[in-house]
Amino acid sequence: MHTWVPALLAVLAAALIATGTVLRQKASQRSGAIAKGWWFGAAIAVVGFGFQAYALGLGSILLVQPLVVLAVLFALPLEAKIDHRRPSTMDWVWGAVLVGAVVTFLLIARPVPSERRASPVLLAITVTVLIVGLIGMVVLAERCRTAHTKALCYGIASGALFGIAALLIKSVALHIIHAPTEVLLHADVYLLAIVIALAVLAQQRAFGAGDIQTSFPAMNVMEPAVSMALGVILLGENLRVGVGKSILLTAILLVAAVAVVKLAQHSAVRHDPVSDTKPRDEKSRRAVQA
């Protein structure tokens, strides 16, 4: 299988996921509830996740997940078009940094898929241990009094769970490709359903904490970080590079993470209803004083 095939599928998945996310956000803003536009956006996002699953089935997690992160960038022009505005200069700057970092990482790393599959027992144990640890973080979040810390804990938990889901999606995708009639006989299918349900629940709790500028970036960074780490540990995926290049690739990934955080923060501020109401509240207060 040529590397460009899963890469192309991953980029297409990123574009569809970004489109679906923006449409759902806008539909919710206009109606305050789930409307037809929300369901249309959800359908597009589901198709995007399907392409992501197919890409993971064909290629390396170390190839697919960095490209899926570009969904944050694809959302920029679509948001701007719907809002009848132009993306800010800093949006484009951080977008260029993200693209440059991802492309540089892939050109240097040249990841290839591993033929090894994680044993069902090892996979179940690893996922269970991670979930228990994340439940501990959720308990900590519930005890936090500040919205910032609560949103951060839930954002980390949600992103990590989606990262675990990416590994399970790859496992399930391989079942579908090689033995589609026996998919429901494998335990990882049901484990995937549980992990996705927990991830969505943690995501909603993160948004409910009210500090979306903190939770949203945490989710976007944790998902690729966890999925790529699990790909190396459980599937034996590697980059076949020396120590020097490993340090360089780590630095590049850190730059990409910073770019994702900045883009996600800008997006979160634009969609934060609290931020949107502050200028009007201040204007109203001055009018009353006058």
Side-chain angles (χ1 to χ4, degrees), residues 113-188:
S114 171
E115 297 296 329
R116 194 179 88 189
R117 296 192 191 184
S119 69
V121 175
L122 179 60
L123 185 62
I125 292 175
T126 303
V127 172
T128 301
V129 170
L130 288 173
I131 290 177
V132 170
L134 293 173
I135 289 175
M137 184 165 289
V138 168
V139 172
L140 176 63
E142 287 298 322
R143 293 182 178 180
C144 292
R145 296 183 179 181
T146 62
H148 174 78
T149 306
K150 188 173 184 178
L152 178 61
C153 290
Y154 271 120
I156 291 174
S158 176
L161 286 167
F162 278 118
I164 296 171
L167 178 74
L168 293 171
I169 287 172
K170 179 176 178 65
S171 179
V172 172
L174 290 174
H175 295 321
I176 294 174
I177 292 172
H178 297 293
T181 59
E182 301 177 1
V183 171
L184 297 180
L185 299 178
H186 299 280
D188 48 4

Side-chain angles (χ1 to χ4, degrees), residues 4 11 13 54 67 72 83 88 127 132 135 139 154 222-223 254:
W4 65 267
V11 172
Y54 194 20
L67 290 173
V72 179
D83 292 339
S88 68
V127 172
V132 170
I135 289 175
V139 172
Y154 271 120
M222 286 301 296
E223 179 181 350
L254 289 175

